[in-house]
Amino acid sequence: MRTLAGKKILLGISGGIAAYKCAELTRRLIERGAQVQVVMTKAAKEFITPLTMQAVSGRPVSDSLLDPAAEASMGHIELAKWADLVLLAPATADLIARMSAGMGNDLLSTLVLATDAPVAVSPAMNQQMYLNVATQENIATLSRRNMMIWGPAAGEQACGDVGPGRMLEPMQLVEKCEQFFGPKLLAGKSVVITAGPTREAIDPVRYISNHSSGKMGFALAQAAQQLGADVTLISGPVTLPTPNGVKRINVVSAEEMHQAALANATCHDIFIGCAAVADYRPLDIATQKIKKTADKDDMQITMVKNPDIIASVASLLESRPFTVGFAAETQDVEAYALDKLQRKNLDMICANDVSIAGQGFNSDSNAITVYWQGGSKSLGNAMKTELSHAIWETISEQIA
Ligand code: PMT
């Protein structure tokens, strides 16, 4: 029962109605052996009193950056160093925006800047505020900075709306903390992931490519690293920062990605092909920029097939990794995904319908159904960061 014994959790509460659940959350964390230090924003105190939080946590609540008495006991830098985990619950749209902008205009946001402890963010707000593009971009920014995004849940909200934005229930947050501190799902495993697009040169200034941003593959790499795996990420040309602790190999063309994949596949346990690889490349690459001519209104480029990277990995006879593909489809998603599963000899395939706005290419969320021989699992629509954890759980269940 004392699954969190000795763990120091700094619980940051911002001003949302879900703040009232923090008393229960704190009690359940302490019941499991955690030490909980509560930090509240000014607005949070409108929803639950510091006295209540002091009573349940057994510690004075910190709420001011500029209070000499508070700084004399446990100052903001000491608080930031004390924590094994910073849990922000509820994290309002305002707090998320301030963190995304790197602001330190109250104790809680300053602590987030000053800590080197892992930070978990549990968003809680009205569904329209959550879906607002500004909030979505802010959450994606925090996620790219390696903060863990826990939730939100969807359902009926305090304001009467129905949709995503409810804070996870206290026991769900406790379970997330237990998973975070517990044995890691991918401990001892090594994984290689391809991500992003490939570029197939036409001449020195032009290329053929696609809309992949790399977000899905990078989210898978980040999640695998957080789950304890040794991660190698083979990335096409994208503008994303490398997730902490991940080894990155940059490539440009499908042929380069093929070589990097084959060089790495046999020394890893799991291979995921998330990259959107160009199926064809120009047969000849012009050595000089192709010039527009006055006499011709059309132009032909002869294309040749690129190697099928994931099929090459899946057909390895020795040291073949558990091989997971992706299927980006615009119609008949299940049928095409199952066909690729068989034809490319994969162990699993993650199918996404890229014709639906707001998912697939270059979006922060996605909806995936995973297929394997004789089974499937729909993982629903979620942020790519959250979805990646669900994909790893599904892969782990199949490997076990
Ligand atoms: O990068 P994002 O913007 O986040 O977008 C994510 C995504 C839509 C790119 C991702 O979720 C996805 O679906 N990736 C696979 C895209 C794709 O190329 O699908 P496909 O159905 O054409 O290919 C099937 C599988 O074969 C994929 O695993 C692909 O990596 C692999 N393949 C394809 C061609 C080729 N020559 N070699 C390959 O290995």
Side-chain angles (χ1 to χ4, degrees), residues 78-158:
E78 276 161 274
L79 276 173
K81 286 188 178 149
W82 173 84
D84 295 321
L85 171 70
V86 175
L87 170 58
L88 304 171
T92 58
D94 175 70
L95 177 65
I96 288 169
R98 287 189 290 123
M99 291 194 298
S100 166
M103 290 172 71
N105 57 346
D106 65 0
L107 178 62
L108 189 51
S109 52
T110 308
L111 274 170
V112 172
L113 287 177
T115 192
D116 63 359
V119 178
V121 181
S122 183
M125 66 199 75
N126 165 269
Q127 53 92 23
Q128 204 59 53
M129 290 171 73
Y130 173 72
L131 294 172
N132 187 291
V133 66
T135 308
Q136 289 297 310
E137 284 178 5
N138 288 334
I139 292 175
T141 300
L142 299 188
S143 172
R144 277 197 294 279
R145 290 182 195 152
N146 261 1
M147 293 190 191
M148 297 172 283
I149 311 296
W150 290 355
E156 197 169 327
Q157 303 198 297

Side-chain angles (χ1 to χ4, degrees), residues 10 81 86 97 139 146 157 160 174 183 210 237 290 295-296 309 315:
L10 193 148
K81 286 188 178 149
V86 175
I139 292 175
N146 261 1
Q157 303 198 297
V174 169
N210 59 64
I290 299 171
D295 57 328
K296 275 184 84 182
I309 300 168
S315 67

Side-chain angles (χ1 to χ4, degrees), residues 110-389:
T110 308
L111 274 170
V112 172
L113 287 177
T115 192
D116 63 359
V119 178
V121 181
S122 183
M125 66 199 75
N126 165 269
Q127 53 92 23
Q128 204 59 53
M129 290 171 73
Y130 173 72
L131 294 172
N132 187 291
V133 66
T135 308
Q136 289 297 310
E137 284 178 5
N138 288 334
I139 292 175
T141 300
L142 299 188
S143 172
R144 277 197 294 279
R145 290 182 195 152
N146 261 1
M147 293 190 191
M148 297 172 283
I149 311 296
W150 290 355
E156 197 169 327
Q157 303 198 297
C159 56
D161 279 11
V162 177
R166 283 172 60 94
M167 188 175 88
L168 293 185
E169 293 302 324
M171 275 314 294
Q172 289 176 302
L173 288 173
V174 169
E175 278 165 27
K176 292 270 189 193
C177 290
E178 287 175 327
Q179 279 168 11
F180 172 77
F181 287 115
K184 303 271 187 266
L185 189 68
L186 297 176
K189 296 272 185 243
S190 64
V191 306
V192 57
I193 300 163
T194 67
T198 63
R199 279 183 191 167
E200 311 303 326
I202 297 171
D203 69 13
V205 299
R206 301 184 180 91
Y207 56 81
I208 292 169
S209 191
N210 59 64
H211 295 292
S212 173
S213 62
K215 287 178 186 173
M216 188 72 241
F218 276 57
L220 281 164
Q222 183 181 37
Q225 196 276 337
Q226 286 169 352
L227 292 168
D230 177 48
V231 186
T232 299
L233 178 62
I234 303 174
S235 176
V238 298
T239 54
L240 301 175
T242 310
N244 276 352
V246 167
K247 179 183 164 201
R248 175 169 176 174
I249 300 170
N250 286 323
V251 297
V252 176
S253 66
E255 285 182 305
E256 283 173 23
M257 190 175 273
H258 187 229
Q259 278 168 23
L262 287 181
N264 283 278
T266 53
C267 49
H268 289 79
D269 301 305
I270 303 168
F271 181 95
I272 301 191
C274 186
V277 185
D279 285 322
Y280 294 88
R281 66 178 186 279
L283 173 63
D284 296 311
I285 305 172
T287 52
Q288 301 298 330
K289 182 181 171 193
I290 299 171
K291 302 305 287 179
K292 187 165 67 179
T293 52
D295 57 328
K296 275 184 84 182
D297 285 340
D298 58 0
M299 143 181 205
Q300 268 88 42
I301 299 175
T302 304
M303 308 281 283
V304 289
K305 241 185 198 161
N306 268 326
D308 192 313
I309 300 168
I310 204 156
S312 312
V313 171
S315 67
L316 287 168
L317 296 176
E318 278 178 32
S319 307
R320 175 190 182 277
F322 187 86
T323 308
V324 181
F326 266 71
E329 307 296 347
T330 54
Q331 57 177 336
D332 298 333
V333 178
E334 180 173 354
Y336 283 126
L338 287 172
D339 173 62
K340 283 174 186 165
L341 180 74
Q342 306 297 343
R343 200 161 32 83
K344 299 189 186 217
N345 187 32
L346 307 178
D347 298 300
M348 282 183 125
I349 193 152
C350 303
N352 41 190
D353 186 336
V354 293
S355 69
I356 299 173
Q359 65 182 56
F361 286 105
N362 200 18
S363 62
D364 292 316
S365 41
N366 205 359
I368 293 277
T369 302
V370 188
Y371 296 93
W372 58 91
Q373 289 295 345
S376 70
K377 191 173 182 182
S378 183
L379 303 180
N381 191 308
M383 299 287 284
K384 284 176 178 171
T385 45
E386 275 285 299
L387 204 53
S388 296
H389 283 268

